[in-house]
Amino acid sequence: MPEQQFHKAKRQIEILGLCILNPLQYVLDVPYLAVFFGVEEITIKRDLRELRNMGLQIHSAGKKGIYIENLNDTLKLKEYLLMYVGLCYSKNIFDRSTSLLIEKKKNLALAEIVTLQICVDKCRKAKIEYQSHEKTYEEREIYPILVFHSDGSWRVLSQEGDPVKQFHVDKIRNVRITDESFSRMPVLKFEQLFKHSFGSWIGVDSYDIKIKFSNLWGKRLKDRHFASNQKFIEQPDGTFLFTATVNSLNEVVSWILSKGEGCEVLEPVKLKEKVIKTAFECLANYQSRDKK
């Protein structure tokens, strides 16, 4: 993106953000914004006109200044937020997953992400060679519906299996677009995949979990967000009860074990058993060494 166009797109979203945040703090008018952004007033007027052309209800009224009405469209908010973060990424944000992918694949990192995204946009099947656990590559045909990064790595979500599969982009080589199309799953079903994601796992399984934290851990964690419907409730004895619905118990096991003392699984029994089993397996590594 040319430098001038980059600054224009970034500035317009920043104007939008200021209009949302600022209606009661001070008068936000064209002269103020021109000084704030270091541009001519005509540039700000053009920005406001272009924002209105996008369907945004931006108005200017006397002492009230510039303000926006009725921006409650979740999809629009997501679009602007992701666009803004994307504009800022290259200059201000360290993205570990992108840095690691480029370090490993060099220019193929860009080529493969672009090719996979084209398959997503055009609902085209892709043929890939994918690295298995045995370090060998096997040819796969996938149905890409999302390219995203999570837990330090770029991934592609494929519409197959029960109900989807994830592939790590750093394990893919020789991506090829096919001429064969597929029907993308409905939006509501797609969004359901992320509803109970606790970490990087995406799926439609559902587990209600209940965990008791000590007062120390509860105070550390209560203001953090781990699951969409989580609750942290302080108990009369000072402990905290954490409840949530998740789609993967394995990710919760790792999270619990990382907390050590002061974290006890109450429900479900299956999660408690997994935590105990994994803890004993970790302990066995050190017990075998001690015997030697």
Side-chain angles (χ1 to χ4, degrees):
M1 179 184 290
E3 191 74 10
Q4 186 176 0
Q5 190 176 350
F6 168 87
H7 287 299
K8 174 184 172 182
K10 184 171 179 288
R11 183 180 63 247
Q12 288 184 352
I13 299 178
E14 287 173 343
I15 290 173
L16 179 59
L18 290 173
C19 287
I20 295 171
L21 179 67
N22 198 48
L24 300 177
Q25 294 184 31
Y26 53 88
V27 176
L28 197 67
D29 56 17
V30 170
Y32 176 88
L33 290 175
V35 173
F36 185 84
F37 288 106
V39 297
E40 299 292 331
E41 290 188 17
I42 189 66
T43 301
I44 298 298
K45 291 178 180 178
R46 189 183 302 118
D47 287 335
L48 294 173
R49 183 168 63 249
E50 291 182 9
L51 287 169
R52 291 188 189 102
N53 289 339
M54 293 181 203
L56 296 168
Q57 300 298 314
I58 294 182
H59 307 284
S60 180
K63 295 181 180 180
K64 190 174 182 179
I66 301 167
Y67 65 99
I68 186 165
E69 287 184 347
N70 302 322
L71 184 54
N72 298 314
D73 188 325
T74 302
L75 290 178
K76 274 188 177 294
L77 287 169
K78 186 186 295 184
E79 177 185 341
Y80 294 131
L81 179 58
L82 291 176
M83 188 187 303
Y84 184 71
V85 171
L87 290 168
C88 295
Y89 244 45
S90 60
K91 296 196 173 185
N92 301 321
I93 298 176
F94 175 71
D95 179 356
R96 179 171 175 267
S97 53
T98 301
S99 298
L100 290 174
L101 186 64
I102 292 175
E103 182 180 325
K104 179 177 180 179
K105 311 198 99 175
K106 304 298 187 290
N107 60 354
L108 285 178
L110 176 63
E112 291 178 357
I113 291 288
V114 166
T115 305
L116 289 167
Q117 186 60 49
I118 289 173
C119 290
V120 171
D121 293 340
K122 295 184 177 295
C123 290
R124 293 280 189 87
K125 294 181 182 178
K127 285 188 176 180
I128 63 172
E129 290 182 16
Y130 194 69
Q131 185 179 351
S132 66
H133 295 298
E134 292 75 26
K135 304 296 182 183
T136 58
Y137 284 88
E138 59 181 22
E139 190 166 278
R140 301 282 302 261
E141 190 175 72
I142 65 173
Y143 307 72
I145 56 174
L146 179 69
V147 179
F148 67 108
H149 63 88
S150 177
D151 197 25
S153 67
W154 275 95
R155 306 161 188 240
V156 57
L157 200 64
S158 178
Q159 184 177 295
E160 59 180 295
D162 186 20
V164 294
K165 289 186 178 180
Q166 293 185 49
F167 295 89
H168 291 258
V169 176
D170 63 351
K171 293 184 178 182
I172 294 176
R173 71 179 187 186
N174 296 335
V175 185
R176 301 188 301 281
I177 305 172
T178 73
D179 293 328
E180 190 175 353
S181 301
F182 66 91
S183 298
R184 185 183 173 93
M185 67 173 64
V187 173
L188 289 178
K189 185 176 180 181
F190 180 74
E191 292 180 349
Q192 191 73 18
L193 297 174
F194 298 86
K195 184 175 181 180
H196 299 308
S197 179
F198 187 80
S200 61
W201 183 255
I202 296 171
V204 294
D205 291 337
S206 177
Y207 305 94
D208 294 323
I209 63 173
K210 185 182 293 185
I211 302 168
K212 182 170 75 172
F213 286 102
S214 66
N215 183 266
L216 177 62
W217 272 118
K219 287 182 176 179
R220 288 181 181 178
L221 300 174
K222 66 183 179 68
D223 294 324
R224 296 184 59 189
H225 198 74
F226 302 99
S228 61
N229 63 341
Q230 72 177 43
K231 290 182 181 178
F232 264 105
I233 303 174
E234 187 169 4
Q235 305 299 296
D237 62 358
T239 61
F240 283 78
L241 191 64
F242 172 78
T243 61
T245 302
V246 300
N247 59 19
S248 170
L249 292 182
N250 290 334
E251 289 189 322
V252 181
V253 169
S254 302
W255 182 64
I256 291 170
L257 290 176
S258 70
K259 303 294 176 283
E261 187 178 4
C263 176
E264 179 187 355
V265 176
L266 302 180
E267 295 177 9
V269 173
K270 185 177 180 180
L271 176 58
K272 184 183 297 187
E273 291 172 346
K274 279 179 173 286
V275 169
I276 294 170
K277 181 176 182 292
T278 306
F280 273 111
E281 288 173 347
C282 292
L283 184 60
N285 291 330
Y286 299 95
Q287 289 176 331
S288 60
R289 291 180 186 176
D290 292 340
K291 290 178 181 178
K292 294 178 182 179

